[in-house]
DNA sequence: TTGACTTATATGTCTAGACATATAATCGTG
DNA sequence: CACGATTATATGTCTAGACATATAAGTCAA
């Protein structure tokens, strides 16, 4: 969660509580560079004196800043501004239907192929599972204002998500269905670039050899594979945007 | 911060503190689906009784889960499991030198071009600034084990980072220099795919028309633009990986 | 100089209260 | 029934203590 979110709240300038004021004071000093990375910030008892409050109040402010990785706390040594981390960005990859409608464009969906089968060796390799079981393989296309937006090639592990057998993927895109029916705990994205082969070019209505952005996503639910999906986007029109903050 | 991080710690099974146990218990129930989105979790006084502790201890556990957006707290109404959010991924985009050396490969760097100039109209548009000023324009290449890894085209706003004028970008890559010398507060990435033009193909030692992953990154420091950079990676060999968790 | 031991100290966790505040639920009235 | 006023209640914040624990720093002996 963004620690700075309180500041960003629109509307009235409500009187902030004391611990939030302390947290904001410290955060501001860090973000302006007044307290550079590695700087030791005042001890809790010093902040108690400065703000005339109890240690628990100071501690709450510092704990939240530590949870947000802005500071590092070391017993006996004190509390320190963290060095600039690796550049980590929050990449919002929404459900495609939500993404398109959020842009104010009309969402279209075409199911190309949907079949249920016993997992082949290739399926098991793709899902990263060793045991045999049933899977659903889906190919479909998403469009925005009737222009092809992305093609999707998905595998769902029915042993993890048996309910998926009853879902109607002709009506509802599998990504939306899964997002609303299956709590996921972890996922991994791999983003790469390819040039469109004949099959992809036809589905996206672009030229063979045109650039495509490819997203591979694996989703787990408590160590069990839920789904593996590969999405092809036209690379020249689609962009992933990641906004983030750091310290 | 990842709320589940304590669980992921390697090594000894240290006795967790009480509030962490409460937090983990609740988190587990949410992640396994036992408490689905919208479910009201027990009131603080109920948890006090269950764990035989004070309200502050329960409150600390719940506050951290709320900060991690796993639950939502409403006065008078109670505390509820949040609906599944958008899929937001933490995309780690490290400094390229660090990224390559972390892979155990030898890092190479070639400065192609570095010039200091008054900002042209194009420079100002790219940096998103309206006032004239000096900039540094840099072109360089990163390689791993002597194989081209990425080409970089960067603009640094000297009015925000005057120290950059004294940096030796022939010796140190500008990304590394900036990461270690300039605290950044915000940035934005745009990821897209293109096919290599002649110039890029030559620099990356790939064929014209081969796919490239492009990352555009804009970095700010308290509302002032620091730098704008465009990186081209060979799309077939380079991948961005984002691992994340959700609820 | 080095290594083992001791001590001081800052953070980590916790308690048993307190008052504030937003709001869901209830009640009463037109 | 609709709507405004009242009340009950769950969370939000805060206090002034306590003991636990990791560890930086100092001490002393080999």
């Amino acid at each position: 969660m963004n620690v700075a979110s309180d500041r960003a709240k629109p509307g009235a300038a409500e009187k902030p509580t004391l611990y939030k004021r302390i947290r904001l004071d410290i955060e501001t000093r860090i973000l302006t560079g007044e307290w550079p990375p590695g700087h030791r910030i005042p001890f809790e008892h010093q902040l108690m004196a400065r703000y005339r409050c109890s240690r628990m109040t100071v501690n709450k402010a510092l704990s939240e800043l530590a949870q947000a990785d802005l500071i590092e706390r070391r017993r006996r040594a004190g509390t320190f501004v963290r060095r600039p981390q690796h550049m980590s960005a929050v990449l919002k990859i929404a459900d495609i239907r939500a993404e398109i409608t959020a842009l104010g464009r009309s969402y279209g969906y075409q199911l190309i192929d949907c079949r249920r089968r016993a997992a082949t060796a290739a399926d098991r390799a793709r899902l990263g599972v060793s045991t045999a079981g049933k899977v659903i393989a889906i190919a479909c296309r998403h469009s925005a204002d009737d222009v092809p937006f992305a093609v999707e090639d998905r595998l769902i592990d029915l042993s993890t998500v048996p309910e998926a057998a009853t879902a109607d993927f002709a009506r509802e895109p599998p990504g939306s269905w899964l997002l609303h029916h299956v709590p996921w705990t972890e996922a991994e994205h791999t983003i790469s670039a390819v040039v469109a082969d004949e099959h992809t070019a036809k589905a996206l209505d672009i030229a063979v050899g045109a650039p495509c952005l490819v997203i591979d996503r694996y989703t787990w639910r408590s160590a069990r594979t839920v789904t593996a999906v590969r999405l092809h986007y036209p690379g020249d029109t689609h962009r992933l945007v990641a906004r983030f903050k750091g310290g």
Side-chain angles (χ1 to χ4, degrees), chain A:
Chain A
M1 184 199 222
N2 188 344
V3 170
S5 61
D6 310 287
R7 203 175 36 184
K9 288 251 176 66
E14 41 194 300
K15 194 188 116 193
T17 56
L18 181 52
Y19 95 86
K20 281 180 182 163
R21 228 191 77 210
I22 300 173
R23 197 187 63 188
L24 181 57
D25 279 1
I26 294 169
E27 194 194 342
T28 302
R29 281 184 162 83
I30 293 174
L31 260 32
T32 58
E34 183 183 337
W35 287 349
H39 176 87
R40 208 200 60 221
I41 78 177
F43 298 129
E44 292 190 349
H45 70 263
Q46 294 177 303
L47 292 170
M48 283 172 68
R50 175 179 310 177
Y51 291 97
R52 302 182 174 285
C53 64
S54 78
R55 210 185 121 216
M56 279 299 284
T57 302
V58 169
N59 187 273
K60 178 155 182 160
L62 294 176
S63 293
E64 290 194 3
L65 289 170
Q67 201 183 338
D69 272 345
L70 229 69
I71 59 174
E72 185 187 349
R73 317 201 70 200
R74 291 206 299 273
R75 277 188 150 127
R76 169 68 211 251
T79 302
F80 302 84
V81 179
R82 285 191 58 128
R83 340 214 100 261
Q85 285 95 303
H86 30 243
M87 281 209 156
S88 60
V90 175
L91 177 63
K92 276 204 172 162
I93 302 189
D95 166 44
I96 293 176
R97 181 168 63 182
E99 189 181 347
I100 290 174
T101 54
L103 289 169
R105 305 168 71 182
S106 78
Y107 174 73
Y109 168 70
Q110 296 92 39
L111 181 64
I112 298 168
D113 188 59
C114 177
R115 55 190 65 194
R116 188 173 159 184
R117 63 170 176 246
T120 64
D123 293 342
R124 291 201 299 273
R126 192 170 163 201
L127 290 170
V129 297
S130 50
T131 57
K134 286 213 176 334
V135 298
I136 297 181
I138 298 165
C140 60
R141 185 171 69 166
H142 309 266
S143 52
D145 290 339
D146 294 320
V147 177
F149 187 81
V151 288
E152 173 174 338
D153 172 26
R154 184 187 291 270
L155 223 50
I156 300 174
D157 189 336
L158 277 174
S159 61
T160 306
V161 198
E163 318 91 275
T166 64
D168 179 8
F169 294 126
R171 205 181 52 78
E172 185 172 23
S176 304
W177 186 90
L178 285 165
L179 194 59
H180 291 98
H181 290 81
V182 183
W184 48 277
T185 56
E186 214 172 338
E188 185 175 298
H189 287 157
T190 304
I191 301 164
S192 55
V194 301
V195 292
D197 57 21
E198 202 174 336
H199 177 258
T200 307
K202 201 169 176 183
L204 286 176
D205 195 18
I206 58 176
V208 174
C212 288
L213 205 56
V214 179
I215 299 181
D216 282 290
R217 182 191 300 154
Y218 300 85
T219 311
W220 295 272
R221 170 183 182 169
S222 336
R224 291 192 59 84
T225 305
V226 173
T227 184
V229 59
R230 166 167 286 192
L231 294 157
H232 278 81
Y233 297 83
D236 52 345
T237 61
H238 188 73
R239 284 145 189 284
L240 290 171
V241 176
R243 230 172 189 287
F244 59 110
K245 68 171 189 57

